[in-house]
Amino acid sequence: MTFTLESFHFHVLPMHTRFPFKYGIASMNALPHLFVTANLVVDGKAVSGLASEGLPPKWFTKNPDTPFELDLAEMIAVIQNASRIARLAAEKPTGFFTWWQNLYAEQSNWAKVKEVPSLLANLGVSLIERSVLDGLCKALGQPLHSVLRSDVLGIDLGAVREELRGMRVADVIAPAPLTHVNARHTVGLGDPLSAADGTLDDGLPYTLEENIRAYGLRYFKIKVCGKPETDLPRLREITRIITANCTAGFHATLDGNEQFYDLASFREFYATLSADAALAPLFQNLLLIEQPLHRSQALNDDVAATLQSWTEGPGMIIDESDGSLADLPRALDLGYRGTSHKNCKGIVKGLANAALLKRRTPVIRGGPILSGEDLANVGPVALLQDLSVMALLGVTHVERNGHHYFRGLSMHSPATQEAALTTHAGLYHRHARGFATLNIENGRLDLQNVNAAPFGCGITLDVSQFEPLNAWIKRGGMGEL
């Protein structure tokens, strides 16, 4: 199968949160949700593919000194540059993997010259990659899992990393995609915990206590700020609420959000928390620690000694440090146990990461970890494409926070909401107040219709209802957020 690329189009839907999402150094109240349309010709047949991503503050570049408008302009620049490279690489008929290799390499070279961090540079690769994959799945009339198992995309894992020579994508992904996945609920640094923290009358659960009862949650992702005087009382209350409401048991992860600059300090912080008797239920059910070290320090040589001697410590993974193809191998050599998958870091890259963890399983102390993390994804495109990949990677519990910080699909037109309800019955349901929202039952999401659709979405979304990116920039849309 070969294709050419005719054009890309970009549209923006500004979105506002139900309440602030506080994580690390940022507190998100609004963001632009960017839609990317790729117009392809696949084996002589015209088809369009679609991808989307919310562009959040201070995640791709965690610089406290720059305004969000500057960060956002840089995000848009890397996405537009990737689209330019992608078009040039597919002016003549090309296979998917050859095209992807060129896109990744050229974007990486450009980023080095421009001094753009690899995590940010690969946001551009990923969005373009996803839009093309969506088009190819539509042209084939098959869901992504089937396309990947067939090898029609020609993905050569050994060409991505020499260590993976001989491994096929079909050997890495699950034999069949998961039909259900556990939703791991995010407890942000400023999230309300109980009724004492107030109410929000918009029809959806607001406090941690309300979310557990409404959705039957059993998995949680808890963010910490790295200051015991702040974290200890909050973690005690979180533990009390979860224990009281999850009588059948629960699991949790801790997200350090890059709050530490050396591992010895984090180890001391962890020892303080784990020694607190009130937190015993939390630490007895702790699955992993996510990226406690700042990305500037997380892959330094001195991390190895602490990680390798910390035999009683938790499984630790990288997240923000997983920017380039070189980062996970480096992390595993230092003693980390794995990484997160987010579609914003790339699909082929995610497959290569899963393959590496599988290949190194015998030598990873405690076993490999591939977690599923979120970037406040919402449907009907970004969330569903992300869930599609999680299902085929076999990730059984996935951080989901878009439905918590945004009000379902209420930012979309009635027609779009109806399409989501019809195509993805089970994953979405109609709220009593009329809008479409995610359906979480017994803490789980039903992915059966997601898995059957071409790359997750499966609905026709009219992007012309959104503002073209250039028009949005010209009228000062970035300054409105």
Side-chain angles (χ1 to χ4, degrees), residues 306-324:
T306 303
L307 275 179
Q308 291 168 12
S309 66
W310 193 2
T311 56
E312 77 285 5
M316 198 175 298
I317 67 168
I318 58 171
D319 180 36
E320 291 92 339
S321 288
D322 184 17
S324 75

Side-chain angles (χ1 to χ4, degrees), residues 135-355:
L136 295 179
C137 288
K138 287 174 180 174
L140 291 166
Q142 298 177 29
L144 182 62
H145 181 270
S146 298
V147 171
L148 290 174
R149 284 192 67 83
S150 72
D151 274 344
V152 68
L153 300 179
I155 297 174
D156 181 355
L157 293 173
V160 178
R161 290 189 182 114
E162 178 62 32
E163 187 176 349
L164 304 179
R165 190 69 60 188
M167 296 186 75
R168 297 169 58 247
V169 171
D171 300 327
V172 175
I173 63 177
L178 300 177
T179 59
H180 294 79
V181 66
N182 292 291
R184 183 154 37 88
H185 179 79
T186 299
V187 186
L189 293 173
D191 281 15
L193 304 180
S194 67
D197 296 320
T199 60
L200 182 65
D201 184 20
D202 69 351
L204 295 178
Y206 177 53
T207 67
L208 172 61
E209 204 159 33
E210 288 172 339
N211 275 277
I212 296 173
R213 292 172 181 173
Y215 298 133
L217 301 170
R218 297 182 309 246
Y219 285 78
F220 303 89
K221 171 172 172 170
I222 304 168
K223 292 183 177 289
V224 293
C225 71
K227 299 176 181 177
E229 65 273 18
T230 301
D231 286 323
L232 272 171
R234 183 168 175 81
L235 287 172
R236 288 175 190 139
E237 179 65 0
I238 290 171
T239 302
R240 183 194 68 77
I241 290 171
I242 293 176
T243 303
N245 288 278
C246 299
T247 55
F250 71 92
H251 301 281
T253 68
L254 284 185
D255 184 3
N257 270 125
E258 303 184 80
Q259 298 293 331
F260 295 85
Y261 282 81
D262 66 88
L263 200 52
S265 295
F266 174 72
R267 186 171 181 176
E268 182 179 344
F269 170 78
Y270 180 85
T272 299
L273 298 187
S274 59
D276 192 291
L279 302 185
L282 174 63
F283 281 87
Q284 288 165 3
N285 293 284
L286 192 63
L287 297 173
L288 61 91
I289 300 285
E290 180 188 342
Q291 189 85 35
L293 291 188
H294 191 273
R295 66 191 73 178
S296 64
Q297 308 295 318
L299 300 182
N300 288 353
D301 290 343
D302 58 3
V303 170
T306 303
L307 275 179
Q308 291 168 12
S309 66
W310 193 2
T311 56
E312 77 285 5
M316 198 175 298
I317 67 168
I318 58 171
D319 180 36
E320 291 92 339
S321 288
D322 184 17
S324 75
L325 287 168
D327 291 327
L328 180 58
R330 170 68 174 164
L332 296 179
D333 290 342
L334 290 172
Y336 289 95
R337 285 178 55 187
T339 187
S340 65
H341 178 78
K342 289 176 173 146
N343 272 5
C344 67
K345 296 198 285 187
I347 307 304
V348 175
K349 181 170 175 288
L351 292 169
N353 280 350

Side-chain angles (χ1 to χ4, degrees), residues 39-90:
N39 294 307
L40 304 85
V41 176
V42 184
D43 292 338
K45 175 184 176 182
V47 64
S48 66
L50 186 63
S52 75
E53 191 78 72
L55 304 179
K58 304 302 176 188
W59 191 80
F60 292 100
T61 50
K62 197 160 284 189
N63 184 349
D65 300 323
T66 56
F68 181 41
E69 291 86 354
L70 184 60
D71 296 339
L72 185 53
E74 193 174 28
M75 283 190 257
I76 291 170
V78 301
I79 294 164
Q80 291 178 324
N81 188 71
S83 72
R84 177 188 61 80
I85 295 169
R87 287 197 311 273
L88 290 173

Side-chain angles (χ1 to χ4, degrees), residues 452-470:
F455 202 3
C457 181
I459 71 171
T460 300
L461 183 65
D462 179 13
V463 295
S464 67
Q465 66 189 296
F466 310 129
E467 193 169 8
L469 174 62
N470 288 338

